[in-house]
Amino acid sequence: MEWWVSMPKVELHAHLNGSIRDSTLLELTKALGEKGVINFSQVEHIIMKYNRSVKEVFQLFDLIRILTTDHAILTRITREVIEDFASENVVYLELRTTPKRNDAIGMTKGSYFEAVLEGLRSVTSVDVNFIPHDKEDSRTLFSPNNGSSRKRIYVRLLLSIDRRETTEAAMETVKLALEMKQFGVVGIDLSGNPLVGDWNTYLPALKFARNQGLYVSLHCGEIPNPKEIHQMLDFKPERIGHAICFEKEHWEILKSSKIPVEICLTSNIRTLTVRSIQVHHFVGLYKTKHPVVLCTDDSGVFSTCLSKEYKIAADAFVFTGLGKRESFELSRNAVELIFAERQVKEDLTKYFDSVAKTMG
Ligand code: 5GP
């Protein structure tokens, strides 16, 4: 595993509350159990279960939602998630989260976001850059003269629209994202239970986001829904996540439009949406040089990390020539797919180049 951990990596599909540490999840669950808010013995099996259907995964997310409706907890989770990604040499993280309103505890979408921001600010163990680059400033995170021997990580944020939300609620999220561009918000994600909701509900907010200069990534094709997949591809998002239940015509549109795909191997296997790693669509996309990036999705919920995802891919698809060097190239190519500003891309490109030289 050591080699996969040491390789610099780019994470473009990670949900904040799905990336919560196991130990933190258990600790929070026990604490709420002791307060009588939840019955620990009734939820323990949901947390501990290994393979979960899509329906069960969303039951777990509903539980996590109960655990994380507190600003301080959100701040803590954000800090821990960034530390965890940085510790395995993720050098660029695009973290996505759904701003949530909870009147009972005085939480607005805005205060939710502030709590996440506080988490970013509170990381002290690694160097974090989340504020977009000042054009006047030529120093960058990976400049050789930066002088830091600590782990370094760029973090940018996507705000997620939950498929349960109304058009108004989706629009509120997009407006918040626009206000928070100065704090590193680069785009909008559409996620949440694929069994609910309708594309036309979110479309006005997604169009508005695009017109205002935000990037859009969509969870697409997690369940068979040919009409919606078509509509999503017609929208031409800057990236899509998953792309599992595609039919021939969808593959044709995807290939010709070259929309990059965020691939989440473990997540797809554990939610039983892909039968086995051997038949995963990653291999076809990789072989035809379609833009793809390996991602964790929910590293906490699926007990994975990005280094593991690269190793799993290399072990399963070695026959396609996906060895260590090719894995490094796959990771390096992901820099082209990030939503951050040009300076970040340039800095990361130079950094990957410098690492490539040491590989010989
Ligand atoms: P949060 O947005 O609360 O930080 O992260 C957890 C949320 O992300 C979940 O409640 C769900 O809405 C969304 N999410 C996480 N993983 C997946 C996934 O694999 N598919 C979809 N569609 N949504 C997901």
Side-chain angles (χ1 to χ4, degrees):
M1 230 3 232
E2 206 182 313
W3 193 88
W4 307 100
V5 173
S6 67
M7 179 180 91
K9 289 169 288 292
V10 169
E11 170 63 82
L12 300 185
H13 187 131
H15 297 268
L16 174 62
N17 284 308
S19 307
I20 182 170
R21 278 182 195 161
D22 271 355
S23 54
T24 302
L25 184 57
L26 271 179
E27 184 192 318
L28 296 175
T29 314
K30 278 189 186 142
L32 278 196
E34 278 159 21
K35 282 188 195 157
V37 179
I38 53 171
N39 183 335
F40 184 70
S41 60
Q42 271 180 9
V43 296
E44 195 182 4
H45 74 282
I46 304 181
I47 297 177
M48 295 304 183
K49 197 164 180 207
Y50 190 73
N51 288 332
R52 297 184 185 93
S53 65
V54 171
K55 196 168 156 219
E56 288 168 330
V57 165
F58 283 92
Q59 283 174 347
L60 179 56
F61 284 131
D62 283 340
L63 171 65
I64 295 177
R65 207 170 257 241
I66 297 171
L67 304 175
T68 57
T69 43
D70 173 312
H71 294 102
I73 291 174
L74 266 171
T75 297
R76 169 184 170 181
I77 293 170
T78 307
R79 181 174 56 246
E80 291 179 352
V81 166
I82 292 165
E83 286 170 352
D84 290 350
F85 276 110
S87 75
E88 57 154 339
N89 293 305
V90 171
V91 290
Y92 178 90
L93 164 65
E94 242 165 59
L95 190 60
R96 53 187 78 190
T97 193
T98 323
K100 296 163 194 88
R101 185 176 149 182
N102 182 350
D103 295 339
I105 57 155
M107 182 182 275
T108 62
K109 286 192 176 188
S111 72
Y112 178 102
F113 182 84
E114 285 296 333
V116 170
L117 205 52
E118 197 44 43
L120 282 156
R121 292 192 186 108
S122 70
V123 180
T124 53
S125 58
V126 300
D127 292 350
V128 184
N129 170 298
F130 63 95
I131 302 283
H133 204 82
D134 176 353
K135 290 191 181 64
E136 303 302 311
D137 190 354
S138 62
R139 281 168 308 166
T140 53
L141 194 59
F142 289 95
S143 309
N145 59 0
N146 175 306
S148 173
S149 57
R150 304 190 325 154
K151 302 272 188 202
R152 289 169 261 182
I153 185 166
Y154 280 106
V155 181
R156 294 293 183 269
L157 299 168
L158 301 185
L159 297 192
S160 303
I161 295 170
D162 187 310
R163 295 182 61 106
R164 284 181 285 200
E165 290 185 298
T166 60
T167 305
E168 291 70 33
M171 200 62 102
E172 189 189 345
T173 297
V174 174
K175 286 183 182 154
L176 177 64
L178 288 170
E179 274 171 45
M180 297 303 162
K181 262 177 137 176
Q182 56 180 320
F183 297 114
V185 175
V186 288
I188 293 290
D189 156 58
L190 174 67
S191 55
N193 192 341
L195 298 162
V196 303
D198 181 78
W199 170 246
N200 289 312
T201 308
Y202 331 114
L203 188 57
L206 295 170
K207 277 187 177 162
F208 177 62
R210 164 167 290 162
N211 290 340
Q212 295 295 314
L214 289 165
Y215 293 95
V216 175
S217 175
L218 302 173
H219 280 65
C220 181
E222 288 175 283
I223 56 163
N225 187 345
K227 184 169 166 224
E228 186 185 84
I229 296 172
H230 213 297
Q231 288 168 318
M232 287 184 166
L233 294 173
D234 279 350
F235 180 76
K236 295 199 175 46
E238 278 71 31
R239 298 196 308 253
I240 58 169
H242 298 295
I244 304 163
C245 304
F246 274 32
E247 295 177 0
K248 193 166 170 277
E249 59 153 344
H250 303 131
W251 288 121
E252 282 165 8
I253 304 172
L254 181 81
K255 294 269 172 80
S256 63
S257 57
K258 298 210 165 28
I259 299 169
V261 184
E262 304 151 357
I263 297 280
C264 309
L265 295 171
T266 298
S267 162
N268 298 161
I269 301 298
R270 295 270 305 270
T271 55
L272 316 172
T273 42
V274 175
R275 219 172 348 108
S276 76
I277 188 89
Q278 283 72 27
V279 298
H280 198 285
H281 49 288
F282 163 77
V283 70
L285 292 170
Y286 177 72
K287 278 205 288 196
T288 54
K289 298 195 178 353
H290 189 87
V292 284
V293 51
L294 291 180
C295 305
T296 53
D297 203 7
D298 299 289
S299 53
V301 169
F302 299 124
S303 311
T304 189
C305 63
L306 196 52
S307 313
K308 249 193 206 175
E309 295 302 301
Y310 273 90
K311 177 150 179 13
I312 288 170
D315 287 348
F317 307 119
V318 66
F319 64 92
T320 63
L322 183 59
K324 286 183 176 168
R325 175 157 287 278
E326 293 75 17
S327 298
F328 176 83
E329 291 304 327
L330 187 60
S331 178
R332 171 158 54 182
N333 291 342
V335 173
E336 280 309 308
L337 312 180
I338 71 174
F339 290 164
E341 69 276 14
R342 186 180 49 83
Q343 288 91 339
V344 176
K345 254 188 202 176
E346 285 175 3
D347 193 30
L348 289 171
T349 304
K350 279 189 201 148
Y351 180 62
F352 271 91
D353 287 351
S354 70
V355 175
K357 278 191 196 130
T358 66
M359 291 170 71

